[in-house]
């Protein structure tokens, strides 16, 4: 019989959470009174905590987005410019199809 079956799963979870909470590098989060489980309010607007958490990344993300937009726009412009300069003289255009005569 294996060791997991001798103890219930909830007992193992409880032991794991207790060992993590007691260790200084544990992954358990402390329980804070009045803590919310979401960063959005009832009307799905951003809460102050979310705004504070996103603030350090706002400028970096904007610069990255503008950089990507510039690169993609440059590639698009170059591609349209390169295709627009081609006169397609080397492409053979087939003659007009013959008209079918009515069967007699």
């Amino acid at each position: 019989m294996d060791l997991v079956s001798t103890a219930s799963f909830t007992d193992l979870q409880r032991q794991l959470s207790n060992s993590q909470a007691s260790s200084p590098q544990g992954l358990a989060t402390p329980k804070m009174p009045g803590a919310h489980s979401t960063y959005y309010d009832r009307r799905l607007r951003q809460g102050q905590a979310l705004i504070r958490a996103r603030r350090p990344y706002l400028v970096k993300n904007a610069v990255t987005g503008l950089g990507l937009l510039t690169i993609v726009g440059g590639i698009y412009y170059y591609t349209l410019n390169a295709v627009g300069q081609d006169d397609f003289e080397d492409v053979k255009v087939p003659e007009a199809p013959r008209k079918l005569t009515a069967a007699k």
Side-chain angles (χ1 to χ4, degrees):
M1 183 178 267
D2 93 285
L3 296 174
V4 177
S5 62
T6 59
S8 71
F9 185 70
T10 55
D11 290 339
L12 292 174
Q13 282 183 327
R14 191 176 307 120
Q15 289 173 357
L16 181 62
S17 67
N18 288 340
S19 68
Q20 287 176 348
S22 62
S23 68
Q25 296 175 347
L27 300 175
T29 56
K31 301 293 182 192
M32 296 174 47
H36 297 285
S37 63
T38 181
Y39 284 113
Y40 297 94
D41 64 2
R42 289 185 188 129
R43 296 175 61 191
L44 297 178
R45 294 180 298 185
Q46 294 180 358
Q48 292 300 318
L50 180 60
I51 293 171
R52 280 192 309 272
R54 292 177 65 185
R55 189 174 296 138
Y57 305 104
L58 184 64
V59 174
K60 293 177 192 176
N61 288 345
V63 169
T64 302
L66 286 174
L68 285 172
L69 181 67
T70 302
I71 291 169
V72 171
I75 293 170
Y76 181 75
Y77 176 77
Y78 173 78
T79 303
L80 288 182
N81 231 3
V83 171
Q85 292 175 0
D86 195 1
D87 54 7
F88 298 104
E89 287 180 2
D90 56 337
V91 177
K92 294 181 182 180
V93 179
E95 296 178 13
R98 298 181 191 169
K99 293 186 180 180
L100 296 176
T101 56
K104 293 185 183 178

